[in-house]
Amino acid sequence: MSSIPRIDAARRTRFGLVLALATAVCFGSSGALARGLIDAGWSPGAAVTARVWVAALILLVPAVFAMRRRWILLRRNIGTLLLYGAFAVGATQLFYFQAVAVMDVSVALLIEYMSPAAVMLWLWLRRGERPTGRTVVGAIVAIAGLALVLEVFSGIAANTAGVLWALGAMVGSAAYFIISARQGDAALPPIALAGFGLLTGAVGLTLASLVGVLPWRSTTADVAFLTGTVPWWIPVVGIGAIAGALAYALGIISTRMLGSRLAAFVALSEVVAAALFGWALLGQTPGVWQVVGGVLILAGVIAVRLGEPEEVESVTVEPV
């Protein structure tokens, strides 16, 4: 891969923010597309497993191409790939579905999306990167907005097992940002980490389906959206290509540009994107408090960004 010219830290951050928001939009499309499949007869586990397999297959060729003459680097990162596939892909999906099987969906999502706070705590305890006051205030505001968007106060229902499963999903989500942020000469190119990591996660989810941990049910019936009815394979390919391959690849690149803490908080805008996709494809109009929550998430992310330490050195953007 040819190297990309050096850019200063400010330009890198701006570009990283654009990519992170694009990542959130891509991930946000998964809910509406998956809901169409589920309403047509697919089980949630089948929808997410299909999504991960499609994404892995799409990225397989560019991932192999990115590793040409560097296969020794892949062998050195086997542990990273296993962690990424097991936690960032597999555990996040599997544990979330286990949680929503026994508790309210909004509460499970709220717990899972506490991962930015977990990333912030990890960086503080592990690396001594103490968050600034603005970062802490931004985190509180963003999480409050998240609670409003998810409408967790409209009917809270939780149990111990569900909370534990959701916490497992939160750990998986936090691992996604922490592992994605790793860079340097020994790190895998973003496209290779995404491609081989998704392939590892797809195998794990398939094994979970085969042993009955992740229920599998699929159908070839047409899928209905607000805009019309389409063949089943269109949302399957869409959710795999957009909310899978593109989302994970852009997510790794943007996280390496922004760092795991800021990238994790920008990712909260995914719930806003999900609400917009739900409105456009499913006719689910967001309420006033959800709109207020979206504004709070944006305000919180801005505060977190302002609380990040300024970088003045010039950097080289890592090739894909």
Side-chain angles (χ1 to χ4, degrees), residues 274-291:
L276 293 176
F277 276 110
W279 168 69
L281 296 179
L282 304 174
Q284 299 175 346
T285 305
V288 174
W289 286 111
Q290 289 180 301
V291 174

Side-chain angles (χ1 to χ4, degrees), residues 186-219:
L188 286 170
I191 202 72
L193 177 58
F196 293 117
L198 282 166
L199 183 61
T200 303
V203 172
L205 289 171
T206 301
L207 292 176
S209 296
L210 290 176
V211 299
V213 175
L214 192 63
W216 178 283
R217 186 179 65 256
S218 60
T219 176

Side-chain angles (χ1 to χ4, degrees), residues 37-211:
L37 290 170
I38 292 169
D39 289 344
W42 287 62
S43 65
V48 73
T49 303
R51 164 194 174 189
V52 176
W53 268 114
V54 171
L57 293 176
I58 289 174
L59 291 179
L60 187 57
V61 171
V64 170
F65 184 73
M67 295 308 300
R68 71 192 192 285
R69 297 189 298 273
R70 292 193 288 178
W71 288 106
I72 189 172
L73 191 60
L74 184 67
R75 291 196 294 271
R76 290 174 179 172
N77 282 274
I78 289 297
T80 299
L81 284 175
L82 291 176
L83 287 174
Y84 190 88
F87 287 93
V89 180
T92 304
Q93 309 290 341
L94 180 59
F95 291 172
Y96 169 71
F97 286 124
Q98 293 292 336
V100 298
V102 294
M103 70 186 300
D104 188 83
V105 172
S106 61
V107 179
L109 276 174
L110 179 63
I111 295 173
E112 179 184 344
Y113 279 105
M114 291 288 288
S115 58
V119 170
M120 187 169 64
L121 183 61
W122 168 269
L123 293 176
W124 186 3
L125 297 179
R126 181 73 175 179
R127 302 180 187 175
E129 298 179 12
R130 184 174 180 174
T132 65
R134 286 180 176 176
T135 299
V136 173
V137 171
I140 294 172
V141 172
I143 291 172
L146 175 65
L148 291 177
V149 172
L150 295 176
E151 297 182 314
V152 296
F153 305 113
S154 62
I156 296 178
N159 62 30
T160 302
V163 170
L164 292 176
W165 283 120
L167 286 172
M170 181 196 70
V171 171
S173 179
Y176 162 78
F177 293 105
I178 293 170
I179 296 173
S180 295
R182 293 178 180 175
Q183 50 188 317
D185 294 337
L188 286 170
I191 202 72
L193 177 58
F196 293 117
L198 282 166
L199 183 61
T200 303
V203 172
L205 289 171
T206 301
L207 292 176
S209 296
L210 290 176
V211 299

Side-chain angles (χ1 to χ4, degrees), residues 221-249:
D222 289 346
V223 179
F225 294 105
L226 187 65
T227 53
T229 301
V230 297
W232 64 273
W233 59 268
I234 291 181
V236 169
V237 173
I239 198 174
I242 299 172
L246 186 59
Y248 276 94

